[in-house]
Amino acid sequence: MLFQPYQSKPIERQAYQIQPHDKIHPVIKQFAKTGEYTVQGVIFKAHEEVKVGDWIVRLTEDDTYHCTDEVFRERNIVPE
């Protein structure tokens, strides 16, 4: 079998949920569904449409990316 199962390491993420008052600005449109955007001056990568309620996740200064609300809530504990 080519692929083997591995458990993920638990990590803590820094994240910001995009609010209705935030302005989403494209920076660079590289491909049809991939680009860079800014919200409140933070540049992040996105591979699909960025919407209010989605999340900007920062693992490191160089690794900041878009995550849909649905996927973020599947993978993280979010207080209600």
Side-chain angles (χ1 to χ4, degrees):
M1 178 178 205
L2 180 65
F3 296 98
Q4 299 295 319
Y6 292 89
Q7 289 294 318
S8 297
K9 292 180 181 179
I11 63 169
E12 185 174 299
R13 292 175 172 84
Q14 293 183 17
Y16 172 74
Q17 189 170 30
I18 300 170
Q19 302 298 307
H21 65 272
D22 288 322
K23 304 286 189 245
I24 302 166
H25 299 285
V27 176
I28 301 170
K29 190 84 170 184
Q30 298 171 340
F31 304 103
K33 291 187 175 182
T34 303
E36 290 185 343
Y37 297 82
T38 64
V39 168
Q40 294 195 27
V42 174
I43 297 175
F44 60 95
K45 291 180 178 64
H47 296 282
E48 55 192 291
E49 182 181 358
V50 180
K51 301 177 194 167
V52 169
D54 287 351
W55 298 79
I56 302 168
V57 182
R58 174 169 280 168
L59 295 178
T60 67
E61 283 289 322
D62 297 326
D63 190 3
T64 304
Y65 60 90
H66 164 257
C67 187
T68 64
D69 184 54
E70 179 182 359
V71 170
F72 189 83
R73 289 176 186 277
E74 281 176 7
R75 298 179 181 171
N76 299 279
I77 299 167
V78 180
E80 292 298 322

